[in-house]
Amino acid sequence: AQSVTQLGSHVSVSEGALVLLRCNYSSSVPPYLFWYVQYPNQGLQLLLKYTSAATLVKGINGFEAEFKKSETSFHLTKPSAHMSDAAEYFCAVTRGGSNYKLTFGKGTLLTVNP
Amino acid sequence: NAGVMQNPRHLVRRRGQEARLRCSPMKGHSHVYWYRQLPEEGLKFMVYLQKENIIDESGMPKERFSAEFPKEGPSILRIQQVVRGDSAAYFCASSPKDSNQPQHFGDGTRLSIL
C-alpha cells in the first residue's frame, strides 16, 4: 500500500522568495510520484512526475522536485515565487508501472504575499 | 477545449434524491477515473473504468454508489438516496490506452446535499 504525507497544510512566502513544499511517501514497491496544482474551483493540473528515471524532475512553471529514496521524500521547489503560484498543491503516489489509483496527500495551500 | 469535461459543475440535491454526475474524457482517452474530495482532504480514488468495463472499484462505497462508462456517451457516477455526507467535489480524470500516461483532470462537480 502507498501513502503520502504533506508537511504543512499552509505555506506562506513572499513574492520572489524560495518555495519549498514537503512531501514524504510510503510505498512497499518502487513508486511513481506526482505533484499536482489546483486553482480555486478547478481540477488538478499536473506539474511534474517521477517515474524512476532522473531523480531531479523539472516541471512546468519553473517548479522542480527531487526524488530521495533514502529520505522517502519528493519535495517541490521553485527558486522565486510569483503571485500566480498561489494555489493548493497535492503530492500523489502510485505503484511503479502503473499510474492509476493515485493516492493523494491532503494538500498544501500556498499563499504568496506581495 | 479538448479537456476532460464534467457536468454539471454544481449540483444541489435534497436528502434521498439521486445524483448523476457526467464525465466526457479527453479525445482519444479510453480510461476514466473518479475521485472524491472531501473538505480539507486530498482526493480519494473511487473507481477506474474502461469502455464497458469496471477495472477497479475498490474505492467505491458498497451501497448507493455506481459508475459506468458505456460504449457510447460519457461516464456516469450515480449516487442513489443521497445523504449529507455525500457532499463533496467529485473529480473525473482520463488517460490514454497506455495507463502509464498521466491522468488529466476535469474541473469537478461540486455536490451539495440539503
Side-chain angles (χ1 to χ4, degrees):
Chain A
Q2 290 79 38
S3 67
V4 171
T5 301
Q6 291 185 241
L7 298 173
S9 60
H10 190 189
V11 170
S12 182
V13 301
S14 298
E15 192 173 17
L18 171 72
V19 176
L20 171 61
L21 304 182
R22 299 178 187 276
C23 172
N24 288 89
Y25 71 91
S26 172
S27 179
S28 56
V29 297
Y32 283 5
L33 291 154
F34 306 81
W35 275 100
Y36 283 86
V37 60
Q38 184 180 32
Y39 297 99
N41 296 315
Q42 294 186 24
L44 276 69
Q45 179 182 3
L46 180 68
L47 278 177
L48 48 80
K49 62 176 180 177
Y50 166 77
T51 55
S52 75
T55 56
L56 182 61
V57 181
K58 294 188 183 297
I60 61 171
N61 301 341
F63 284 94
E64 63 182 35
E66 186 172 7
F67 172 70
K68 292 187 177 180
K69 185 178 179 181
S70 60
E71 299 177 9
T72 60
S73 69
F74 191 57
H75 301 330
L76 182 71
T77 60
K78 181 174 180 178
S80 177
H82 293 173
M83 297 295 290
S84 60
D85 294 327
E88 189 146 25
Y89 292 79
F90 292 94
C91 182
V93 64
T94 189
R95 57 185 297 136
S98 172
N99 83 330
Y100 92 88
K101 205 168 186 176
L102 290 165
T103 299
F104 286 87
K106 291 188 175 183
T108 297
L109 181 64
L110 176 65
T111 302
V112 182
N113 302 308
Chain B
N1 185 347
V4 178
M5 302 300 294
Q6 290 188 247
N7 69 82
R9 291 294 307 277
H10 301 274
L11 182 61
V12 180
R13 286 287 178 267
R14 296 188 180 281
R15 281 177 293 173
Q17 291 184 321
E18 178 181 287
R20 282 176 163 280
L21 288 63
R22 296 174 184 77
C23 170
S24 296
M26 282 182 71
K27 187 176 181 180
H29 286 192
S30 57
H31 297 204
V32 166
Y33 317 82
W34 285 93
Y35 292 84
R36 177 165 64 176
Q37 184 179 32
L38 295 169
E40 310 298 323
E41 296 284 332
L43 279 72
K44 304 286 188 193
F45 169 81
M46 298 181 76
V47 61
Y48 165 34
L49 309 108
Q50 296 176 19
K51 285 283 188 182
E52 300 183 282
N53 283 305
I54 296 174
I55 307 303
D56 182 344
E57 58 182 346
S58 58
M60 290 278 272
K62 299 301 181 191
E63 298 178 345
R64 302 187 297 108
F65 284 71
S66 62
E68 62 177 7
F69 188 17
K71 186 176 181 181
E72 301 290 338
S75 175
I76 305 287
L77 179 68
R78 182 184 178 202
I79 311 172
Q80 295 178 289
Q81 299 175 319
V82 296
V83 301
R84 287 262 171 87
D86 297 332
S87 295
Y90 292 82
F91 289 93
C92 171
S94 71
S95 69
K97 188 175 182 180
D98 177 2
S99 63
N100 284 327
Q101 292 300 311
Q103 297 174 27
H104 294 261
F105 283 79
D107 286 344
T109 294
R110 272 80 182 164
L111 176 63
S112 298
I113 309 301
L114 301 180

